[in-house]
Amino acid sequence: MTTLERQFAQTVAEHKSTIYTVCYMFSQDADEVNDLFQEVLVNLWKGFESFEHRSDIKTWIYRVALNTCISIDRKKKKVRTILQRRQSEVRLTMDINLFEDRDEDTRQVDMLHKRISKLQPFDRAIVLLWLENLPYEEIGQIVGITAKNVSVRLFRIREQLKQMSND
């Protein structure tokens, strides 16, 4: 194993939960989350050697993971649109239940996750980073907007989520 491969393996080991969290925000299907995870790793590997350390490695990992997941999410939506045109109704079902426990807290988390998954990918990314307790400045660096814009978007996202609770 080369030095670069060892550095990459160590970086992935240190930030694997970050990568997984981003992937999980874009799907609840275990196989799809694993596929997203693999795609993120491929993209991280492609850019690892050229990463210039102008930002924190975690910021770069978030950015690559989010861009990968958003890109794949867009492609999935295009495929769904094509399928829906061909069939009047396409039913997608989940064969897994990630929340086996059905207590009140679990139901709340499940409900929140369902609402967040209805948001646009960019807004989902912002919520994820906010839930990770990142400062607005860092969220802005990751998604490419100002800290003030992060604040405004989070306010609007909260309003959207409140509206969903009335539906």
PDB file of all heavy atoms in Angstrom, residues 18-37:
ATOM      1  N   THR A  18     -19.298  10.871   9.020  1.00  0.00           N
ATOM      2  CA  THR A  18     -19.731  12.073   8.302  1.00  0.00           C
ATOM      3  C   THR A  18     -20.254  11.691   6.920  1.00  0.00           C
ATOM      4  O   THR A  18     -21.329  12.129   6.499  1.00  0.00           O
ATOM      5  CB  THR A  18     -18.565  13.072   8.161  1.00  0.00           C
ATOM      6  OG1 THR A  18     -18.148  13.485   9.456  1.00  0.00           O
ATOM      7  CG2 THR A  18     -18.953  14.277   7.335  1.00  0.00           C
ATOM      8  N   ILE A  19     -19.491  10.875   6.215  1.00  0.00           N
ATOM      9  CA  ILE A  19     -19.882  10.442   4.871  1.00  0.00           C
ATOM     10  C   ILE A  19     -21.196   9.667   4.941  1.00  0.00           C
ATOM     11  O   ILE A  19     -22.122   9.912   4.159  1.00  0.00           O
ATOM     12  CB  ILE A  19     -18.778   9.584   4.220  1.00  0.00           C
ATOM     13  CG1 ILE A  19     -17.482  10.379   4.099  1.00  0.00           C
ATOM     14  CG2 ILE A  19     -19.227   9.056   2.860  1.00  0.00           C
ATOM     15  CD1 ILE A  19     -16.253   9.522   3.785  1.00  0.00           C
ATOM     16  N   TYR A  20     -21.291   8.751   5.891  1.00  0.00           N
ATOM     17  CA  TYR A  20     -22.500   7.937   6.021  1.00  0.00           C
ATOM     18  C   TYR A  20     -23.714   8.810   6.345  1.00  0.00           C
ATOM     19  O   TYR A  20     -24.801   8.607   5.803  1.00  0.00           O
ATOM     20  CB  TYR A  20     -22.325   6.858   7.095  1.00  0.00           C
ATOM     21  CG  TYR A  20     -23.533   5.973   7.192  1.00  0.00           C
ATOM     22  CD1 TYR A  20     -23.721   4.928   6.285  1.00  0.00           C
ATOM     23  CD2 TYR A  20     -24.516   6.191   8.151  1.00  0.00           C
ATOM     24  CE1 TYR A  20     -24.842   4.131   6.341  1.00  0.00           C
ATOM     25  CE2 TYR A  20     -25.641   5.394   8.212  1.00  0.00           C
ATOM     26  CZ  TYR A  20     -25.804   4.367   7.312  1.00  0.00           C
ATOM     27  OH  TYR A  20     -26.923   3.586   7.362  1.00  0.00           O
ATOM     28  N   THR A  21     -23.541   9.797   7.216  1.00  0.00           N
ATOM     29  CA  THR A  21     -24.646  10.674   7.593  1.00  0.00           C
ATOM     30  C   THR A  21     -25.176  11.413   6.377  1.00  0.00           C
ATOM     31  O   THR A  21     -26.391  11.520   6.185  1.00  0.00           O
ATOM     32  CB  THR A  21     -24.190  11.675   8.671  1.00  0.00           C
ATOM     33  OG1 THR A  21     -23.735  10.945   9.813  1.00  0.00           O
ATOM     34  CG2 THR A  21     -25.315  12.597   9.083  1.00  0.00           C
ATOM     35  N   VAL A  22     -24.295  11.926   5.550  1.00  0.00           N
ATOM     36  CA  VAL A  22     -24.724  12.622   4.337  1.00  0.00           C
ATOM     37  C   VAL A  22     -25.488  11.656   3.433  1.00  0.00           C
ATOM     38  O   VAL A  22     -26.582  11.974   2.944  1.00  0.00           O
ATOM     39  CB  VAL A  22     -23.520  13.232   3.579  1.00  0.00           C
ATOM     40  CG1 VAL A  22     -23.948  13.762   2.217  1.00  0.00           C
ATOM     41  CG2 VAL A  22     -22.873  14.334   4.401  1.00  0.00           C
ATOM     42  N   CYS A  23     -24.958  10.476   3.235  1.00  0.00           N
ATOM     43  CA  CYS A  23     -25.616   9.491   2.368  1.00  0.00           C
ATOM     44  C   CYS A  23     -26.992   9.105   2.914  1.00  0.00           C
ATOM     45  O   CYS A  23     -27.957   8.988   2.156  1.00  0.00           O
ATOM     46  CB  CYS A  23     -24.743   8.239   2.224  1.00  0.00           C
ATOM     47  SG  CYS A  23     -23.183   8.545   1.365  1.00  0.00           S
ATOM     48  N   TYR A  24     -27.075   8.954   4.218  1.00  0.00           N
ATOM     49  CA  TYR A  24     -28.347   8.566   4.839  1.00  0.00           C
ATOM     50  C   TYR A  24     -29.409   9.642   4.648  1.00  0.00           C
ATOM     51  O   TYR A  24     -30.594   9.338   4.531  1.00  0.00           O
ATOM     52  CB  TYR A  24     -28.135   8.268   6.328  1.00  0.00           C
ATOM     53  CG  TYR A  24     -29.409   7.853   7.022  1.00  0.00           C
ATOM     54  CD1 TYR A  24     -29.949   6.591   6.804  1.00  0.00           C
ATOM     55  CD2 TYR A  24     -30.072   8.732   7.864  1.00  0.00           C
ATOM     56  CE1 TYR A  24     -31.124   6.204   7.423  1.00  0.00           C
ATOM     57  CE2 TYR A  24     -31.252   8.355   8.491  1.00  0.00           C
ATOM     58  CZ  TYR A  24     -31.771   7.097   8.269  1.00  0.00           C
ATOM     59  OH  TYR A  24     -32.941   6.726   8.871  1.00  0.00           O
ATOM     60  N   MET A  25     -28.999  10.910   4.596  1.00  0.00           N
ATOM     61  CA  MET A  25     -29.966  11.993   4.398  1.00  0.00           C
ATOM     62  C   MET A  25     -30.592  11.949   3.002  1.00  0.00           C
ATOM     63  O   MET A  25     -31.623  12.557   2.766  1.00  0.00           O
ATOM     64  CB  MET A  25     -29.303  13.361   4.609  1.00  0.00           C
ATOM     65  CG  MET A  25     -29.015  13.683   6.042  1.00  0.00           C
ATOM     66  SD  MET A  25     -30.479  13.676   7.090  1.00  0.00           S
ATOM     67  CE  MET A  25     -31.290  15.155   6.529  1.00  0.00           C
ATOM     68  N   PHE A  26     -29.974  11.235   2.092  1.00  0.00           N
ATOM     69  CA  PHE A  26     -30.500  11.171   0.732  1.00  0.00           C
ATOM     70  C   PHE A  26     -31.201   9.860   0.422  1.00  0.00           C
ATOM     71  O   PHE A  26     -31.714   9.687  -0.676  1.00  0.00           O
ATOM     72  CB  PHE A  26     -29.380  11.450  -0.277  1.00  0.00           C
ATOM     73  CG  PHE A  26     -29.042  12.908  -0.342  1.00  0.00           C
ATOM     74  CD1 PHE A  26     -28.145  13.470   0.557  1.00  0.00           C
ATOM     75  CD2 PHE A  26     -29.661  13.732  -1.259  1.00  0.00           C
ATOM     76  CE1 PHE A  26     -27.863  14.825   0.532  1.00  0.00           C
ATOM     77  CE2 PHE A  26     -29.385  15.090  -1.296  1.00  0.00           C
ATOM     78  CZ  PHE A  26     -28.491  15.639  -0.400  1.00  0.00           C
ATOM     79  N   SER A  27     -31.254   8.948   1.371  1.00  0.00           N
ATOM     80  CA  SER A  27     -31.993   7.705   1.173  1.00  0.00           C
ATOM     81  C   SER A  27     -32.145   6.980   2.499  1.00  0.00           C
ATOM     82  O   SER A  27     -31.271   7.048   3.356  1.00  0.00           O
ATOM     83  CB  SER A  27     -31.256   6.792   0.196  1.00  0.00           C
ATOM     84  OG  SER A  27     -31.968   5.583   0.026  1.00  0.00           O
ATOM     85  N   GLN A  28     -33.266   6.262   2.627  1.00  0.00           N
ATOM     86  CA  GLN A  28     -33.447   5.415   3.802  1.00  0.00           C
ATOM     87  C   GLN A  28     -33.228   3.944   3.456  1.00  0.00           C
ATOM     88  O   GLN A  28     -33.241   3.096   4.328  1.00  0.00           O
ATOM     89  CB  GLN A  28     -34.848   5.590   4.390  1.00  0.00           C
ATOM     90  CG  GLN A  28     -35.015   6.884   5.124  1.00  0.00           C
ATOM     91  CD  GLN A  28     -36.337   6.951   5.861  1.00  0.00           C
ATOM     92  OE1 GLN A  28     -37.053   5.964   6.002  1.00  0.00           O
ATOM     93  NE2 GLN A  28     -36.654   8.117   6.349  1.00  0.00           N
ATOM     94  N   ASP A  29     -33.034   3.664   2.192  1.00  0.00           N
ATOM     95  CA  ASP A  29     -32.810   2.301   1.743  1.00  0.00           C
ATOM     96  C   ASP A  29     -31.343   1.927   1.986  1.00  0.00           C
ATOM     97  O   ASP A  29     -30.437   2.602   1.482  1.00  0.00           O
ATOM     98  CB  ASP A  29     -33.153   2.186   0.256  1.00  0.00           C
ATOM     99  CG  ASP A  29     -32.938   0.794  -0.275  1.00  0.00           C
ATOM    100  OD1 ASP A  29     -33.771  -0.070   0.021  1.00  0.00           O
ATOM    101  OD2 ASP A  29     -31.910   0.589  -0.965  1.00  0.00           O
ATOM    102  N   ALA A  30     -31.115   0.860   2.751  1.00  0.00           N
ATOM    103  CA  ALA A  30     -29.754   0.480   3.150  1.00  0.00           C
ATOM    104  C   ALA A  30     -28.846   0.235   1.941  1.00  0.00           C
ATOM    105  O   ALA A  30     -27.694   0.676   1.927  1.00  0.00           O
ATOM    106  CB  ALA A  30     -29.785  -0.752   4.044  1.00  0.00           C
ATOM    107  N   ASP A  31     -29.365  -0.459   0.927  1.00  0.00           N
ATOM    108  CA  ASP A  31     -28.544  -0.731  -0.263  1.00  0.00           C
ATOM    109  C   ASP A  31     -28.189   0.559  -0.992  1.00  0.00           C
ATOM    110  O   ASP A  31     -27.067   0.740  -1.445  1.00  0.00           O
ATOM    111  CB  ASP A  31     -29.272  -1.677  -1.219  1.00  0.00           C
ATOM    112  CG  ASP A  31     -29.397  -3.080  -0.661  1.00  0.00           C
ATOM    113  OD1 ASP A  31     -28.553  -3.466   0.183  1.00  0.00           O
ATOM    114  OD2 ASP A  31     -30.340  -3.799  -1.055  1.00  0.00           O
ATOM    115  N   GLU A  32     -29.153   1.447  -1.086  1.00  0.00           N
ATOM    116  CA  GLU A  32     -28.901   2.716  -1.775  1.00  0.00           C
ATOM    117  C   GLU A  32     -27.917   3.580  -0.981  1.00  0.00           C
ATOM    118  O   GLU A  32     -27.055   4.231  -1.569  1.00  0.00           O
ATOM    119  CB  GLU A  32     -30.210   3.467  -1.989  1.00  0.00           C
ATOM    120  CG  GLU A  32     -30.061   4.638  -2.912  1.00  0.00           C
ATOM    121  CD  GLU A  32     -31.396   5.272  -3.282  1.00  0.00           C
ATOM    122  OE1 GLU A  32     -32.423   4.956  -2.674  1.00  0.00           O
ATOM    123  OE2 GLU A  32     -31.375   6.107  -4.200  1.00  0.00           O
ATOM    124  N   VAL A  33     -28.033   3.580   0.342  1.00  0.00           N
ATOM    125  CA  VAL A  33     -27.079   4.323   1.175  1.00  0.00           C
ATOM    126  C   VAL A  33     -25.674   3.782   0.941  1.00  0.00           C
ATOM    127  O   VAL A  33     -24.724   4.549   0.788  1.00  0.00           O
ATOM    128  CB  VAL A  33     -27.471   4.260   2.670  1.00  0.00           C
ATOM    129  CG1 VAL A  33     -26.356   4.800   3.546  1.00  0.00           C
ATOM    130  CG2 VAL A  33     -28.762   5.029   2.916  1.00  0.00           C
ATOM    131  N   ASN A  34     -25.540   2.460   0.893  1.00  0.00           N
ATOM    132  CA  ASN A  34     -24.225   1.859   0.640  1.00  0.00           C
ATOM    133  C   ASN A  34     -23.701   2.227  -0.748  1.00  0.00           C
ATOM    134  O   ASN A  34     -22.507   2.495  -0.917  1.00  0.00           O
ATOM    135  CB  ASN A  34     -24.293   0.343   0.791  1.00  0.00           C
ATOM    136  CG  ASN A  34     -24.439  -0.068   2.240  1.00  0.00           C
ATOM    137  OD1 ASN A  34     -24.013   0.648   3.149  1.00  0.00           O
ATOM    138  ND2 ASN A  34     -25.062  -1.201   2.475  1.00  0.00           N
ATOM    139  N   ASP A  35     -24.595   2.271  -1.741  1.00  0.00           N
ATOM    140  CA  ASP A  35     -24.185   2.676  -3.092  1.00  0.00           C
ATOM    141  C   ASP A  35     -23.714   4.124  -3.097  1.00  0.00           C
ATOM    142  O   ASP A  35     -22.691   4.457  -3.712  1.00  0.00           O
ATOM    143  CB  ASP A  35     -25.339   2.502  -4.084  1.00  0.00           C
ATOM    144  CG  ASP A  35     -25.659   1.045  -4.373  1.00  0.00           C
ATOM    145  OD1 ASP A  35     -24.834   0.164  -4.032  1.00  0.00           O
ATOM    146  OD2 ASP A  35     -26.742   0.782  -4.931  1.00  0.00           O
ATOM    147  N   LEU A  36     -24.469   4.998  -2.416  1.00  0.00           N
ATOM    148  CA  LEU A  36     -24.070   6.398  -2.324  1.00  0.00           C
ATOM    149  C   LEU A  36     -22.711   6.521  -1.635  1.00  0.00           C
ATOM    150  O   LEU A  36     -21.849   7.284  -2.071  1.00  0.00           O
ATOM    151  CB  LEU A  36     -25.116   7.205  -1.549  1.00  0.00           C
ATOM    152  CG  LEU A  36     -26.446   7.456  -2.243  1.00  0.00           C
ATOM    153  CD1 LEU A  36     -27.448   8.052  -1.261  1.00  0.00           C
ATOM    154  CD2 LEU A  36     -26.264   8.376  -3.444  1.00  0.00           C
ATOM    155  N   PHE A  37     -22.533   5.758  -0.560  1.00  0.00           N
ATOM    156  CA  PHE A  37     -21.275   5.771   0.189  1.00  0.00           C
ATOM    157  C   PHE A  37     -20.110   5.408  -0.739  1.00  0.00           C
ATOM    158  O   PHE A  37     -19.074   6.073  -0.745  1.00  0.00           O
ATOM    159  CB  PHE A  37     -21.370   4.795   1.370  1.00  0.00           C
ATOM    160  CG  PHE A  37     -20.242   4.915   2.348  1.00  0.00           C
ATOM    161  CD1 PHE A  37     -20.327   5.797   3.416  1.00  0.00           C
ATOM    162  CD2 PHE A  37     -19.102   4.139   2.229  1.00  0.00           C
ATOM    163  CE1 PHE A  37     -19.296   5.907   4.343  1.00  0.00           C
ATOM    164  CE2 PHE A  37     -18.056   4.247   3.139  1.00  0.00           C
ATOM    165  CZ  PHE A  37     -18.162   5.134   4.202  1.00  0.00           C
TER     166      PHE A  37
END
